Amino acid sequence: MSAIALGWLCAIVHSPAHLTDEQRKDKVLTGRVIGLDYTDFSMRMTIEVLNNDLPACRVLISTRGCNYLIRTGDLVAWQASLDEVGHMGNPGEMDYATYLLDNEGIRYQQHLPVKDVKVIGH
């Protein structure tokens, strides 16, 4: 029983925060880029949110287009419209939401044009 209780406690402590709709919609968020992947016509950024009024969390931002000037460690700002990472629920499908949550600590994502992500510092 104590092992189960300890496991639950660890899961609660290390689980990323849930954000309310007011915290993740129609608000300018700032964060530090901690992961960055480029593809031919898009980029994926893992961002650690730094807003003082929000709990510490990581989000995944994907963009239409690339900005090759953005680097890991840059501070960025964007107009938030974060959605919870989900899966289609098809049988045999990879559970992307659980994968991101367990391996990267990411619960929310957003897709936007690259021009909407502003570098505000490093």
Side-chain angles (χ1 to χ4, degrees):
M1 284 299 234
S2 62
I4 292 173
L6 183 60
W8 277 49
L9 180 63
C10 287
I12 290 169
V13 168
H14 292 98
S15 181
H18 282 280
L19 302 178
T20 65
D21 284 341
E22 295 80 28
Q23 291 174 318
R24 59 188 171 107
K25 302 283 186 187
D26 300 324
K27 181 177 188 169
V28 175
L29 294 181
T30 59
R32 178 174 291 112
V33 178
I34 59 173
L36 184 60
D37 294 311
Y38 291 101
T39 63
D40 290 337
F41 303 105
S42 65
M43 15 187 292
R44 289 170 32 113
M45 296 179 282
T46 301
I47 298 176
E48 185 176 75
V49 176
L50 299 175
N51 291 55
N52 289 335
D53 59 336
L54 297 179
C57 65
R58 291 181 177 178
V59 298
L60 178 67
I61 302 294
S62 57
T63 65
R64 290 183 298 278
C66 295
N67 179 348
Y68 296 105
L69 300 176
I70 295 178
R71 299 281 184 246
T72 302
D74 283 350
L75 300 175
V76 295
W78 74 99
Q79 182 72 31
S81 181
L82 298 172
D83 296 314
E84 196 157 355
V85 177
H87 59 87
M88 299 303 287
N90 296 327
E93 176 187 48
M94 178 187 166
D95 188 351
Y96 191 59
T98 301
Y99 171 79
L100 281 178
L101 186 61
D102 291 346
N103 295 314
E104 305 288 332
I106 296 171
R107 188 181 303 275
Y108 300 101
Q109 68 180 356
Q110 183 175 350
H111 186 73
L112 61 144
V114 71
K115 65 177 180 56
D116 291 350
V117 178
K118 308 294 184 204
V119 177
I120 58 172
H122 184 80

